């Protein structure tokens, strides 16, 4: 009986805490998702808002300075999930406001990266209120990351796995998947209650598999992995170089905003502003894409994020991967949807170094279709993209030690 109580007590505790974080993050995630959708629609109806992006940048820096959270990013949140680092109290509010400003005025960024940071901040606030010890706080941060990701993107299984895999938790912490999945599923349920639409892509691929097709898929996956590596390096060097040349935060983000406005003006359309999630839908629905699309999105995202705007790189990564894959499929003579999904999976895995989460994510996004192609692309993306990721250079999965080129 004592042994039974020994196991039931933590099970009950983490079920309750997982549900608590899931409900709280689900509600806030729904609000965040609807806010991003609202400002995006507002920008699409009023294209002149793009010209206010430099001003939006200044406001973002002011918000971060007031809340004293300018030094915090996704990597900081990941480290706080496995150390004694404390997440600033105002992070969730600041990220919510700054990300909304970025999307309102057309910065090239997603929302999932912001959601992870907001979720981590909410979870640590709850941990402080409940006066939990540092170990439980770390677990709760993982739960918050998973819950917000699940709420805004609608992929609860992938969100739970991603929160553990991207943080590179040690093997003895795998049991924390339980509270993460509880938080993720409950957040997803709450978001669905508030009618947040889960992202799902329709794909129709004929049942065919031969050596030539396999070689073409492997080639697209390999090239997408290399592009993922270049994307990570471009983001990093843009950030380092901009900070070195423009040391003042206000000046740096203002000039970055001006660059985005000018490039968008010369492109002649707003296809690459915001997250470009609609562009991914168009690729699978219309099966057409311009060859330069992935390059333009990569450049605009690198400038937006590198110069200090807040948002995320996940949806832009998916867009870049699908755009490259579809363009390559035309040249190689294979179905565009197949090339797009392969490019997406390989590049996403390349930039996150999370193969397990990649498989789960694409399983949910494509309702289990094209799974064999996705697994092949994921393997290539993981092992052919060198060490660079969106979150620093990393070793194989679940390794703590960081290494640099």
């Amino acid at each position: 009986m004592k042994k039974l109580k020994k196991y039931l007590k933590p099970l009950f505790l983490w079920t309750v805490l997982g549900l608590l974080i899931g409900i709280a993050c689900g509600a806030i995630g729904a609000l965040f998702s609807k806010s991003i959708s609202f400002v995006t629609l507002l920008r699409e109806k009023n294209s002149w808002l793009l010209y206010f992006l430099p001003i939006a940048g200044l406001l973002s820096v002011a918000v971060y300075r007031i809340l004293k959270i300018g030094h915090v990013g996704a990597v900081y949140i990941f480290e706080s999930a496995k150390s004694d680092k404390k997440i600033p109290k105002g992070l969730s509010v600041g990220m919510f406001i700054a990300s909304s400003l970025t999307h309102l005025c057309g910065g090239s960024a997603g929302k999932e990266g912001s959601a992870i940071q907001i979720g981590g901040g909410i979870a640590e606030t709850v941990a402080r209120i409940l006066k939990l010890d540092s170990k439980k706080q770390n677990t709760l941060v993982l739960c918050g990351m998973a819950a917000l990701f699940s709420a805004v993107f609608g992929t609860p299984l992938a969100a739970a796995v991603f929160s553990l895999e991207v943080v590179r938790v040690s093997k003895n912490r795998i049991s924390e998947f339980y509270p993460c999945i509880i938080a993720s599923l409950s957040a997803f349920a709450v978001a669905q209650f508030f009618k947040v639409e889960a992202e799902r892509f329709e794909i129709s691929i004929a049942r065919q598999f031969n050596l030539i097709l396999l070689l073409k898929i492997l080639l697209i996956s390999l090239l997408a992995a290399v592009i993922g590596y270049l994307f990570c390096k471009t983001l990093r060097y843009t950030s380092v170089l901009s900070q070195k040349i423009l040391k003042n935060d206000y000046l740096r983000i203002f000039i970055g905003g001006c660059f985005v406005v000018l490039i968008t003006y010369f492109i002649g359309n707003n296809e690459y502003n915001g997250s470009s999630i609609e562009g991914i839908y168009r690729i699978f629905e219309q099966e057409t894409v311009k060859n330069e699309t992935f390059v333009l999105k990569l450049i605009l995202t690198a400038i937006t994020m590198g110069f200090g705007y807040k948002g995320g790189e996940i949806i832009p990564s998916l867009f870049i991967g699908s755009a490259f894959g579809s363009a390559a499929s035309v040249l190689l003579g294979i179905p565009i949807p197949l090339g797009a999904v392969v490019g997406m999976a390989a590049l996403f895995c390349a930039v996150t170094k999370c193969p397990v989460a990649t498989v789960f994510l694409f399983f949910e996004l494509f309702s289990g279709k094209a799974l064999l192609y996705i697994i092949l692309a994921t393997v290539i993306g993981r092992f052919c993209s060198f060490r660079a990721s969106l979150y620093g250079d990393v070793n194989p999965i679940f390794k703590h030690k960081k290494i640099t080129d």
Side-chain angles (χ1 to χ4, degrees):
M1 192 66 179
K2 288 183 178 179
K3 286 186 177 180
L4 184 61
K5 288 183 178 179
K6 180 182 177 181
Y7 290 109
L8 287 179
K9 185 176 179 180
L11 183 66
F12 175 76
L13 172 65
W14 285 114
T15 300
V16 172
L17 289 176
L19 286 170
L20 177 63
I21 291 298
I23 293 170
C25 288
I28 295 172
L31 178 62
F32 179 62
S33 183
K34 287 184 176 293
S35 296
I36 296 299
S37 296
F38 173 75
V39 297
T40 298
L41 183 61
L42 191 63
R43 185 192 74 243
E44 290 173 349
K45 290 183 176 180
N46 302 277
S47 58
W48 51 266
L49 283 170
L50 172 69
Y51 298 105
F52 285 86
L53 182 61
I55 305 301
L58 297 178
L59 292 174
S60 296
V61 173
V63 168
Y64 263 60
R65 290 235 176 144
I66 292 170
L67 297 175
K68 299 179 180 179
I69 51 177
H71 64 289
V72 180
V75 175
Y76 187 98
I77 302 298
F78 301 157
E79 291 176 352
S80 71
K82 55 183 180 182
S83 69
D84 293 330
K85 279 191 174 183
K86 301 300 180 184
I87 300 173
K89 295 179 181 179
L91 178 66
S92 297
V93 174
M95 183 57 71
F96 193 116
I97 295 172
S99 297
S100 298
L101 287 170
T102 299
H103 283 267
L104 175 65
C105 296
S108 179
K111 58 184 178 181
E112 286 67 29
S114 302
I116 288 171
Q117 295 179 60
I118 293 171
I122 293 170
E124 183 153 311
T125 298
V126 172
R128 287 191 186 118
I129 293 172
L130 298 178
K131 297 181 180 179
L132 300 178
D133 59 45
S134 59
K135 186 177 179 180
K136 289 186 176 65
Q137 284 186 22
N138 292 345
T139 303
L140 222 58
V141 170
L142 290 173
C143 293
M145 289 166 51
L148 248 296
F149 189 107
S150 174
V152 301
F153 209 49
T155 54
L157 295 177
V161 175
F162 183 75
S163 66
L164 292 172
E165 200 172 13
V166 76
V167 172
R168 320 291 168 190
V169 298
S170 57
K171 292 179 181 179
N172 60 0
R173 292 185 62 186
I174 297 301
S175 60
E176 291 172 293
F177 177 73
Y178 174 72
C180 284
I181 193 65
I182 292 295
S184 185
L185 288 170
S186 54
F188 175 71
V190 171
Q192 291 296 290
F193 175 79
F194 287 111
K195 302 188 184 307
V196 175
E197 187 174 350
E199 304 295 351
R200 295 291 183 270
F201 303 111
E202 291 295 328
I203 185 172
S204 177
I205 298 176
R207 293 180 178 274
Q208 54 176 327
F209 197 80
N210 55 60
L211 181 59
I212 300 299
L213 179 61
L214 174 62
L215 291 175
K216 291 178 179 179
I217 289 172
L218 293 179
L219 178 59
I220 291 176
S221 301
L222 174 60
L223 293 175
V226 174
I227 291 169
Y229 170 81
L230 294 175
F231 180 43
C232 294
K233 287 297 185 180
T234 303
L235 280 168
R236 186 180 307 176
Y237 288 134
T238 301
S239 177
V240 171
L241 191 61
S242 65
Q243 290 181 49
K244 183 178 180 179
I245 297 174
L246 303 168
K247 299 185 183 298
N248 183 280
D249 294 342
Y250 288 104
L251 179 61
R252 181 168 61 253
I253 204 167
F254 184 87
I255 290 178
C258 291
F259 282 151
V260 172
V261 172
L262 286 172
I263 293 172
T264 302
Y265 175 79
F266 284 113
I267 291 172
N269 61 66
N270 299 321
E271 182 179 349
Y272 310 105
N273 301 113
S275 68
S276 298
I277 186 71
E278 293 302 324
I280 302 176
Y281 281 103
R282 283 196 299 271
I283 287 172
F284 287 103
E285 291 170 0
Q286 301 176 10
E287 299 187 11
T288 57
V289 71
K290 299 174 185 175
N291 291 334
E292 70 276 12
T293 292
F294 76 94
V295 177
L296 294 174
K297 185 63 178 179
L298 189 155
I299 292 171
L300 280 177
T301 303
I303 293 174
T304 299
M305 303 301 294
F307 277 77
Y309 286 88
K310 301 303 177 182
E313 303 93 347
I314 290 179
I315 294 181
S317 297
L318 296 177
F319 179 81
I320 293 168
S322 62
F324 168 75
S326 57
S329 66
V330 173
L331 296 176
L332 294 174
I334 65 175
I336 286 179
L338 176 57
V341 72
V342 166
M344 283 177 74
L347 192 139
F348 178 79
C349 188
V351 300
T352 61
K353 299 297 186 291
C354 296
V356 180
T358 300
V359 173
F360 275 100
L361 177 65
F362 280 76
F363 178 83
E364 292 181 285
L365 288 177
F366 292 93
S367 304
K369 298 178 181 178
L371 190 58
L372 176 60
Y373 303 115
I374 288 166
I375 293 173
L376 286 172
T378 298
V379 172
I380 297 299
R382 177 62 184 91
F383 292 106
C384 298
S385 57
F386 309 103
R387 298 167 178 172
S389 82
L390 293 173
Y391 314 114
D393 295 340
V394 297
N395 259 328
I397 304 169
F398 298 133
K399 293 287 184 180
H400 284 290
K401 184 180 177 182
K402 287 188 176 182
I403 52 181
T404 55
D405 290 337

